[in-house]
Amino acid sequence: MKRAMTAGAAAATLLALATPAHGSTAGTTTLPTPPDKIVLELVTVNGSGCPEGTTTVDVAPDNTAFTVTYSDYLARIGPGSPATEFRKNCQLSLRAHVPGGFTYAIVKADYRGYAFIQPGANAVERAGYYFQGMPQTSQRSHRFDGPYDDNWQATDETEYSELIWAPCGEKRNFNINTELRVNAGTSNPATQTSFMTMDSTDGSVSTVYHVAWKECPAR
């Protein structure tokens, strides 16, 4: 289902992501940035972790990243928890309109949330990234073991030489699959509750995706 984003229909579909690949990514050099903005459209949002109206996408003020904010992304086990609540997922499908002569890749993703995990239990945050129709899939996971009662943060970062670039001159959606999973382990879910969120009490914890650019080969 096509999803509207915050800050108005027109503004919400504009995503300026003009930044060269450099900084913490090893083996990179400063590259030209596109002369125009990339326009990114959120085509679909699907999954138990992102019910309708609970997910937004916004541009970073410095035009170097886009931010996904969830307000109802919670996996849990314990008394009164439905059997399916131990795992939540969300798939975002994004369509990028890239300035001519350039392509892009996701170089880094920052995830945040809160977790309460009983001794013996554990929770996992997992994310995968791929372009429509391409076999290359980058997948990362982060495990948190109980006892744990705190904010959590996880970062997926890719070396420049291993980045998966959008095919030059082609229109392919970029897909992001995320998952939260809580496992009972040696804890007792009949009496003990464990949970992991990708949100906060004010519903404003965000996931940030950082973008790298490069020029396409001359035809």
Side-chain angles (χ1 to χ4, degrees), residues 75-88 181-182 189:
R76 61 185 172 126
I77 57 173
S81 300
T84 57
E85 290 288 293
F86 80 99
R87 177 186 178 272
K88 292 294 180 73
R181 184 187 294 261
V182 180

Side-chain angles (χ1 to χ4, degrees), residues 1 10 30 46 63 80 90 92-93 100 130 186 193 204 211 215 217:
M1 135 180 85
T30 300
N46 290 304
N63 298 334
C90 184
L92 306 179
S93 184
Y130 66 97
T186 58
T193 295
S204 61
V211 174
E215 290 185 291

Side-chain angles (χ1 to χ4, degrees), residues 129-131 133-139 162-165 167 172:
Y129 317 90
Y130 66 97
F131 287 98
M134 294 180 64
Q136 304 102 310
T137 297
S138 175
Q139 189 170 81
E162 299 176 355
L163 290 176
I164 300 174
W165 298 92
R172 298 199 186 192

Side-chain angles (χ1 to χ4, degrees), residues 23-209:
S24 60
T25 312
T28 67
T29 57
T30 300
L31 300 174
T33 53
D36 300 314
K37 294 179 179 180
I38 180 174
V39 178
L40 191 74
E41 177 186 359
L42 182 60
V43 181
T44 58
V45 181
N46 290 304
S48 56
C50 48
E52 184 173 3
T54 66
T55 307
T56 60
V57 178
D58 297 290
V59 60
D62 61 359
N63 298 334
T64 63
F66 63 94
T67 301
V68 181
T69 303
Y70 305 96
S71 61
D72 191 21
Y73 204 152
L74 167 69
R76 61 185 172 126
I77 57 173
S81 300
T84 57
E85 290 288 293
F86 80 99
R87 177 186 178 272
K88 292 294 180 73
N89 75 294
C90 184
Q91 176 168 308
L92 306 179
S93 184
L94 308 166
R95 181 176 298 131
H97 305 275
V98 181
F102 285 85
T103 184
Y104 73 98
I106 302 298
V107 66
K108 182 180 176 183
D110 299 319
Y111 297 91
R112 300 176 181 87
Y114 187 85
F116 178 83
I117 308 170
Q118 296 284 355
N122 65 79
V124 176
E125 178 273 326
R126 181 178 289 111
Y129 317 90
Y130 66 97
F131 287 98
Q132 179 184 14
M134 294 180 64
Q136 304 102 310
T137 297
S138 175
Q139 189 170 81
R140 307 290 177 84
S141 62
H142 303 270
R143 172 170 164 156
F144 299 83
D145 292 310
Y148 193 100
D149 183 9
D150 204 349
N151 295 317
W152 63 269
Q153 180 170 340
T155 296
D156 297 343
E157 190 165 8
T158 304
E159 294 294 325
Y160 184 81
S161 61
E162 299 176 355
L163 290 176
I164 300 174
W165 298 92
C168 287
E170 298 182 24
K171 297 291 185 183
R172 298 199 186 192
N173 292 354
F174 182 67
N175 299 304
I176 303 169
N177 293 315
T178 57
E179 176 185 328
L180 297 180
R181 184 187 294 261
V182 180
N183 305 300
T186 58
S187 70
N188 184 358
T191 59
Q192 295 176 303
T193 295
S194 296
F195 66 86
M196 187 179 198
T197 73
M198 207 179 289
D199 62 5
S200 70
T201 54
D202 62 4
S204 61
V205 170
S206 301
T207 299
V208 181
Y209 297 90

